[in-house]
Amino acid sequence: MTDTETASRASLAGLTPGQLRSMFANDGWDGDTCGLALGYEQANLVVLPKNDAYDFLLFCMRNPKPCPILEVLDVGDSVSKRIAPGADIRFALPRYRVFEDGRLVSTPARVDDRWRDDLVAFLIGCSLSFESALLASGVPLRHLEQDRICPMYETTMECEPAGRFAGRTVVSMRAIPAPLVPTAIEVTARYRHAHGAPVHVGAAEQMGISKLEEPDFGESISMEPGDVPVFWACGVTPQIVAQQARPQFMISHFPACMFISDREAHVGAI
Amino acid sequence: MTDTETASRASLAGLTPGQLRSMFANDGWDGDTCGLALGYEQANLVVLPKNDAYDFLLFCMRNPKPCPILEVLDVGDSVSKRIAPGADIRFALPRYRVFEDGRLVSTPARVDDRWRDDLVAFLIGCSLSFESALLASGVPLRHLEQDRICPMYETTMECEPAGRFAGRTVVSMRAIPAPLVPTAIEVTARYRHAHGAPVHVGAAEQMGISKLEEPDFGESISMEPGDVPVFWACGVTPQIVAQQARPQFMISHFPACMFISDREAHVGAI
């Protein structure tokens, strides 16, 4: 994160989801969406040709922890009806990634020029929603205290495959003070639309993670004495699984540049 | 229900789900599955050609209360992997319905002779699971006390459509003593895989139901003084929606002749 971005980020603090999407549409911001529109649900984006949509939808349904579906747009439709009615996902995000045959070909600020009538957009839950709930419940988040991106790891935990879509679960890790681990689990379990309860507590090596200090994505964080590493299924999973399936065409959000919805994060909680 | 069936039903009381499925496969029973394998999850069955599978899966995902998906088998596969591993759904149910272009053409005891490589089987949650939980929580069920099939009604509540699949929600009604309505809601809310919390309490007319004593499916029940009618989304919804879409081919369970899984009903509860 550059200084310029940080400065601008402060000025975005009070904006509503609609104002932010409109600013992104007008190229007013190409940074990440972390900390923006706090309390509103943010979403991962995966766009695939109709031809791949059934298998991908089934993959998400079979693996609800890494892939909690918030909305699936109708074939060819680019406008959200449910979580941000009227928002056009072709230019409502700060930045995108475009893939051809599984290879990244560009990272544009809008994708309306690449849109096709056979595309299906999937909006998938994101852990930003449960992070506000954790903070509100008194659970500290080390990566925020240390101004870092949450560390993420590829694991050996195989997802349940569907058609061509198969792969291993990616997890995010938060270092939680031991007495607060039950609270962290109880709170996030209510956020099934944002990955829900953790998938593992403590034993990183059982998931094939050898070095906590070397995450595969995000940044390493310093654990405090008495912290326990707690692992949640991560929305990077469907991104990587989709990419590995080498679809003929695919659009996704640029890392950390999410779709900001109009839905308050606690609304989906149970 | 005939006397012969009732007699046989008693003899089936102690059988496990696997023993029951095996008896059904050998034509040992063509009655309904109500009250069998108590405590195990039972499922509605909808089988459609792959061509319709994406829209139907999306329909279920968009309408999780009437259509809670328990399992979707792989294309052409007739054997459950998740809720009853190894069970072949082509002869694990007592009786089926076969539709061509939306018309009922037969009600056979097995469908392996009609199976095709392009078929996709959907197993959808059923209210039998939450009924045991209601009883265990001290909530009486009038239709069981009165030995009747639970009354069901077509409503004016439109489901969210997906492709060709569209229609109105069918609800089941249970008459609940007023002071136990909160308990009934709290308990069933935990059974999201079995239709979850009610969709309406009390005001039947708001859903377009004019006469409680004339259900569209099932049987009428007598309400006790102080009972409140409580309405849950019903698994008949996806059956009717699928039928109305007039798919070229479709198989479903015969009414009340469900797929009995190996999963204990409380396991899916949250």
Side-chain angles (χ1 to χ4, degrees), chain A residues 160-222:
Chain A
E160 214 182 317
R164 292 195 296 134
F165 296 95
R168 292 169 166 186
T169 308
V170 175
V171 295
S172 61
M173 188 276 277
R174 288 163 193 79
I176 310 285
L180 291 174
V181 169
T183 304
I185 294 177
E186 211 173 349
V187 167
T188 56
R190 298 180 57 237
Y191 287 79
R192 288 162 76 99
H193 279 91
H195 306 306
V199 292
H200 241 272
V201 177
E205 66 284 359
Q206 289 182 11
M207 290 180 290
I209 301 172
S210 51
K211 289 188 179 163
L212 278 186
E213 62 277 20
E214 293 177 14
D216 296 300
F217 311 96
E219 296 171 318
S220 174
I221 56 165
S222 310

Side-chain angles (χ1 to χ4, degrees), chain A residues 117-261:
Chain A
D117 284 345
D118 70 334
L119 294 181
V120 179
F122 297 83
L123 294 165
I124 299 173
C126 156
S127 55
L128 284 169
S129 307
F130 75 59
E131 288 198 340
S132 346
L134 285 173
L135 290 172
S137 306
V139 178
L141 292 173
R142 305 301 184 207
H143 65 285
L144 297 185
E145 291 171 359
Q146 297 166 22
D147 198 19
R148 299 194 190 146
I149 296 172
C150 185
M152 291 164 271
Y153 307 86
E154 287 178 352
T155 70
T156 48
M157 293 189 296
E158 290 291 340
C159 293
E160 214 182 317
R164 292 195 296 134
F165 296 95
R168 292 169 166 186
T169 308
V170 175
V171 295
S172 61
M173 188 276 277
R174 288 163 193 79
I176 310 285
L180 291 174
V181 169
T183 304
I185 294 177
E186 211 173 349
V187 167
T188 56
R190 298 180 57 237
Y191 287 79
R192 288 162 76 99
H193 279 91
H195 306 306
V199 292
H200 241 272
V201 177
E205 66 284 359
Q206 289 182 11
M207 290 180 290
I209 301 172
S210 51
K211 289 188 179 163
L212 278 186
E213 62 277 20
E214 293 177 14
D216 296 300
F217 311 96
E219 296 171 318
S220 174
I221 56 165
S222 310
M223 293 180 60
E224 305 279 323
D227 278 358
V228 175
V230 179
F231 300 89
W232 279 265
C234 176
V236 169
T237 313
Q239 299 282 338
I240 290 187
V241 161
Q243 197 182 331
Q244 284 173 345
R246 301 194 153 276
Q248 178 267 327
F249 186 68
M250 166 172 152
I251 298 171
S252 76
H253 65 281
F254 191 84
C257 295
M258 319 298 280
F259 178 69
I260 302 181
S261 83

